[in-house]
């Protein structure tokens, strides 16, 4: 069966432009899991912190990620045709900040201070991440300032850890399934009744 791609063009008059700052503020209300997307091989490597990773399909395993085309990793994704996604744990804020460019490091310098490995494609994947996913680039969809990467999963490595790193309202937030369940139980369940004699 051939798949059909339909593009629908809608011409709408917009009464006022939405500012980038207003849109950024609106998107800060959306909680996103924090990942590091890596690209390149050997010393020709770079990476960036993103909250734009999402599952595309399970059969075959594929994901999508939106990346800024001004990012240093963008030419490496195009050149090598693969990328890695390392989903960060709650205690990997330093990695998230380093790959977001907070300390001014670029390229291979960003990888210092953490342990990395490679799988099938050769891109660096973070050891100790909640999940480290090795992807082959299937398709690129370029829109505005960004590109949507569609990646077919070649290999992955899972951790037994449960505490994830999220980003919400401009801050990193730890989400721990075990600890949060205990906290919810403490505030939402009534205390056990005393046994009647």
């Amino acid at each position: 069966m051939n798949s059909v791609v339909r593009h629908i063009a809608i011409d709408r008059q917009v009464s006022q432009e939405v500012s980038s700052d207003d849109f950024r503020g609106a998107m800060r209300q959306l909680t996103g899991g924090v990942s590091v997307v890596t690209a390149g091989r050997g010393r020709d490597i770079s990476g960036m912190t993103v909250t734009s990773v999402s599952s595309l399909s399970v059969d075959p395993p594929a994901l999508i990620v939106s990346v800024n085309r001004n990012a240093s990793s963008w030419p490496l994704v195009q050149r090598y045709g693969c990328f890695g996604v390392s989903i960060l744990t709650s205690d990997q804020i330093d990695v998230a900040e380093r790959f977001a460019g907070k300390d001014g490091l670029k390229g291979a310098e960003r990888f210092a201070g953490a342990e990395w490995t490679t799988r099938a494609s050769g891109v660096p994947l973070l050891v100790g991440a909640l999940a480290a996913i090795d992807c082959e680039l299937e398709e690129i969809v370029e829109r505005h300032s960004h590109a949507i990467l569609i990646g077919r999963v070649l290999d992955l490595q899972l951790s037994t850890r449960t505490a994830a790193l999220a980003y919400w309202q401009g801050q990193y937030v730890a989400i721990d399934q075990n600890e949060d369940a205990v906290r919810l139980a403490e505030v939402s369940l009534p205390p056990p009744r005393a046994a009647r004699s």
Side-chain angles (χ1 to χ4, degrees), residues 105-162:
L105 297 176
K106 298 193 180 298
E109 296 173 329
R110 292 183 174 177
F111 292 80
E115 186 179 349
W116 299 87
T117 189
T118 58
R119 304 294 270 202
S121 75
V123 299
L125 297 168
L126 181 62
V127 173
L130 284 177
I133 307 167
D134 193 16
C135 297
E136 174 184 40
L137 184 63
E138 278 193 337
E139 188 175 349
I140 299 171
V141 179
E142 295 186 34
R143 290 290 184 275
H144 312 295
S145 61
H146 281 61
I148 299 167
L149 310 180
I150 300 175
R152 177 126 183 210
V153 177
L154 298 174
D155 200 355
L156 57 83
Q157 194 168 338
L158 297 173
S159 169
T160 58
R161 306 206 32 213
T162 61

Side-chain angles (χ1 to χ4, degrees), residues 49-120:
T49 301
V50 303
T51 57
S52 60
V53 175
S54 182
S55 166
L56 176 63
S57 67
V58 175
D59 189 14
L63 56 76
I64 59 174
V65 61
S66 176
V67 299
N68 190 313
R69 290 186 290 151
N70 288 325
S72 60
S73 303
W74 170 240
L76 298 176
V77 169
Q78 292 177 298
R79 184 178 314 135
Y80 292 103
C82 51
F83 61 94
V85 174
S86 297
I87 302 172
L88 301 185
T89 65
S90 62
D91 61 353
Q92 293 172 327
I93 292 175
D94 59 327
V95 175
E97 289 182 337
R98 196 163 52 249
F99 279 85
K102 190 167 185 172
D103 55 9
L105 297 176
K106 298 193 180 298
E109 296 173 329
R110 292 183 174 177
F111 292 80
E115 186 179 349
W116 299 87
T117 189
T118 58
R119 304 294 270 202

